Amino acid sequence: MDIDLATLPDDVETLQRLVRSLAAERTALSEAQAEIERLNLIIKKLQRSQFGRRAERLDDDQLQLSLDDLSTDLARVEASLPPAPVGTRPANAKCERPSLPAHLSREDVQLDIEHEACPCCGGPLHPIGETVSEMLDHVPARLRVIRIRRPRYGCRACGTIHQAPAPERPIAKGLATPGLLAHVLVSKYCDHLPLYRQSQILARQGVELDRSTLANWVGGAVWWLEPLQARLAEHVFASQTLFADDTPIPVLDPGRGRTKTGRLWVYARDDRPWNGPEPPAAVYFYSPDRRAERPAAHLTKFKGIVQVDGYPGFERLTERGNIVLAACWAHARRKFYDVHEATSSPVAAEALSRIAELYAIEATVRGQPPQARQETRRVKSLPLVLAMKVWLEAQFNRIPPRGALADAIRYALARWGTLCRFLDDGRIELDNNTVERAIRPIALGRKNHLFAGSDGGAARWAVVASLLATAKLNDVEPFAYLRDVLERMSNGHPMARLDDLLPWNWSRLAAAA
């Protein structure tokens, strides 16, 4: 409540009502501030649960829903507070509002005073500057029709008709432009919006497009992108260090009237942790099963180090002698974490503490050249690893052989040689989290799509996922990338220059244009 001290009332009854009103406002303000503090503590507690392995924290979707609801509650309470008086904001207070990107279009709205003379003294006013503030607006997506006009010309002398040739369409005789195709692909495979929902959204804009039509568009668009996936695979497998993993996806099996479980195999390279020169990339392949010959067939020509989880099928990769496996400390750690969460075992807690020391050392060498990383690991990590092995063997002999803790120790000791591989090569990471992050969007899509419609649909999923994941790794906006690539390829981009359309090269090409 704003009070003018110069015009306070004289009668006692009015003053008493004023004091009671001020006291009520003060109580409400205190309660609102207490509620804000309580909600902030809950938000911080939920955010802290994000520091750790994915299996150790709340489901990402549930966590985001909780944070969204809490932030909404917080905003509602803050909106009920009276506005802070002008000039009460500390000079060193940081503005929480993010700066708006410079590439967004700006529309100026000018608010000017109505008088040209000073209302205080009547003197003339002259401009001395202006205050500029920005708000972020949303213009709903809109459909438009591009009319392609091709005038015809006739020759009176010979009767010949001349006309510019019709442009190539990405979908033969189709209505969709490269922009619309890119929108459908990004909505389905990046934003995880199934085609039937996209059909419903388009219908609200007055455009009736059946889901089968959108599916045909997806198939036609992916046909153009398949050569890029093949070239991307060549780039990934040209590396000497790879991350590999797989994830299940349900695939409709019409013959049995239900779904079967297929697999998406993911291979990623990321040289940034050891300051390597090549751009990061990820490539996906679909197979209808999880047999060991699947990764063996994918990596037929690969020579180098493959970092994997505990799937036994990867062991077959070492048969030819040109592939060395490195294990994942995050998977070993997860076994001890599960035991500690269930039983509060001090042995599991000690194992977690020892593994945390290795991760603390890794944080200090991230981004350094391989030689520097290997030297630091030799001096600091090697003694810890040697001591941990002796300690694990001693603990294993003291506990019952059948139990979760014994299984966790057995898991680590059985893979000790591959777990220690990072000590011999500075290019090897401590864990397989690079490819685990690449799998996360597939899990989100799996929840929304429910299943792939066929083996071919799952293979198309792999093609688009390869390009989208690699675009994200290289900070390339997926929609702009796919739209331009589809337009260039349908306009006859030469296959000899296919590398120009890989995400890291495309970003330089787009910047130059």
Side-chain angles (χ1 to χ4, degrees):
M1 176 183 294
D2 296 330
I3 300 176
D4 187 357
L5 298 179
T7 59
L8 285 175
D10 295 330
D11 60 293
V12 176
E13 185 178 350
T14 304
L15 285 173
Q16 287 177 344
R17 286 200 304 269
L18 185 61
V19 170
R20 282 194 294 268
S21 177
L22 287 174
E25 284 191 6
R26 183 180 182 86
T27 301
L29 180 62
S30 299
E31 292 176 353
Q33 290 174 339
E35 179 68 5
I36 289 174
E37 183 177 356
R38 185 184 73 84
L39 292 172
N40 275 323
L41 287 175
I42 295 175
I43 289 174
K44 290 179 180 178
K45 182 179 179 180
L46 288 172
Q47 287 174 331
R48 280 196 300 271
S49 70
Q50 287 185 305
F51 296 100
R53 294 290 308 144
R54 184 167 182 257
E56 301 162 12
R57 60 179 189 253
L58 290 175
D59 179 80
D60 287 341
D61 298 335
Q62 293 298 324
L63 176 61
Q64 290 302 322
L65 286 174
S66 300
L67 288 175
D68 290 346
D69 289 339
L70 284 170
S71 298
T72 304
D73 292 340
L74 184 60
R76 182 181 180 277
V77 175
E78 289 177 339
S80 67
L81 296 177
V86 178
T88 59
R89 184 182 180 87
N92 59 350
K94 295 183 179 179
C95 180
E96 297 182 357
R97 180 180 301 167
S99 59
L100 299 178
H103 72 272
L104 297 179
S105 62
R106 260 69 175 175
E107 179 178 330
D108 290 339
V109 176
Q110 184 164 323
L111 302 179
D112 207 346
I113 59 178
E114 298 178 354
H115 44 268
E116 298 180 357
C118 177
C120 300
C121 66
L125 299 178
H126 63 279
I128 58 173
E130 65 178 355
T131 300
V132 179
S133 60
E134 292 187 338
M135 298 176 67
L136 188 62
D137 189 25
H138 172 68
V139 179
R142 61 188 180 91
L143 296 170
R144 64 175 182 176
V145 177
I146 296 179
R147 301 178 65 187
I148 301 172
R149 308 175 72 99
R150 296 184 296 132
R152 292 192 300 269
Y153 301 92
C155 177
R156 291 190 175 90
C158 64
T160 306
I161 297 177
H162 300 273
Q163 186 180 33
E168 184 72 28
R169 298 193 179 201
I171 305 296
K173 300 181 180 179
L175 294 174
T177 65
L180 182 54
L181 292 176
H183 172 73
V184 172
L185 291 177
V186 171
S187 297
K188 178 176 172 63
Y189 295 108
C190 185
D191 299 328
H192 317 298
L193 195 63
L195 293 181
Y196 79 89
R197 293 184 190 167
Q198 295 190 50
S199 177
Q200 293 171 350
I201 293 172
L202 292 170
R204 291 202 300 267
Q205 301 185 50
V207 179
E208 299 287 345
L209 288 173
D210 192 74
R211 179 174 53 182
S212 62
T213 301
L214 298 180
N216 290 336
W217 289 358
V218 170
V222 172
W223 179 82
W224 290 102
L225 301 176
E226 287 173 355
L228 274 178
Q229 186 211 26
R231 185 63 193 93
L232 195 61
E234 293 178 16
H235 169 76
V236 170
F237 295 149
S239 174
Q240 294 183 346
T241 56
L242 277 188
F243 302 92
D245 203 354
D246 69 299
T247 187
I249 58 169
V251 180
L252 189 63
D253 191 1
R256 296 189 299 168
R258 55 192 179 94
T259 60
K260 61 182 180 180
T261 301
R263 312 296 296 195
L264 274 185
W265 301 86
V266 191
Y267 304 93
R269 67 176 298 178
D270 192 349
D271 302 346
R272 292 174 296 182
W274 50 271
N275 201 24
E278 296 299 324
V283 64
Y284 299 71
F285 296 102
Y286 168 73
S287 70
D289 52 54
R290 203 192 187 194
R291 293 203 297 262
E293 54 260 33
R294 302 300 183 181
H298 299 153
L299 301 175
T300 301
K301 299 180 180 179
F302 176 77
K303 297 180 180 180
I305 300 165
V306 181
Q307 194 148 15
V308 298
D309 58 11
Y311 171 54
F314 286 123
E315 297 291 336
R316 182 170 176 176
L317 297 175
T318 63
E319 292 178 355
R320 299 194 310 272
N322 56 354
I323 292 179
V324 176
L325 296 183
C328 173
W329 276 95
H331 282 78
R333 178 186 181 278
R334 191 176 302 166
K335 303 288 185 183
F336 290 106
Y337 180 86
D338 292 339
V339 174
H340 182 263
E341 285 293 292
T343 65
S344 300
S345 165
V347 176
E350 176 66 17
L352 292 174
S353 176
R354 289 172 180 261
I355 296 174
E357 293 182 56
L358 295 179
Y359 273 92
I361 296 171
E362 287 301 300
T364 65
V365 299
R366 186 164 298 278
Q368 295 185 12
Q371 295 79 7
R373 286 160 60 94
Q374 184 176 355
E375 179 62 23
T376 300
R377 290 169 174 175
R378 185 186 65 81
V379 174
K380 297 183 179 180
S381 301
L382 179 58
L384 297 179
V385 170
L386 294 176
M388 191 187 308
K389 185 173 189 292
V390 174
W391 177 79
L392 286 174
E393 291 173 339
Q395 297 302 319
F396 186 75
N397 294 327
R398 296 174 184 169
I399 61 175
R402 293 186 178 181
L405 181 58
D407 290 341
I409 297 177
R410 191 179 293 111
Y411 178 93
L413 292 178
R415 295 164 176 78
W416 199 255
T418 51
L419 283 173
C420 296
R421 197 82 67 191
F422 78 102
L423 297 169
D424 303 325
D425 194 324
R427 299 170 301 173
I428 300 177
E429 283 288 273
L430 203 59
D431 53 43
N432 205 29
N433 286 351
T434 297
V435 75
E436 293 274 352
R437 289 189 292 269
I439 282 177
R440 248 172 237 169
I442 303 299
L444 283 175
R446 189 167 57 222
K447 292 179 181 179
N448 288 273
H449 302 164
L450 300 181
F451 53 82
S454 63
D455 288 337
R460 287 190 290 272
W461 192 348
V463 172
V464 182
S466 301
L467 296 176
L468 291 178
T470 304
K472 292 178 183 178
L473 285 171
N474 290 274
D475 297 324
V476 171
E477 201 281 309
F479 171 76
Y481 170 66
L482 287 183
R483 178 183 61 183
D484 189 64
V485 165
L486 288 171
E487 185 172 355
R488 289 175 183 270
M489 296 194 75
S490 61
N491 287 335
H493 185 87
M495 296 299 292
R497 292 171 47 201
L498 196 60
D499 283 5
D500 292 346
L501 301 184
L502 294 174
W504 55 89
N505 292 329
W506 177 88
S507 60
R508 291 193 291 266
L509 189 68

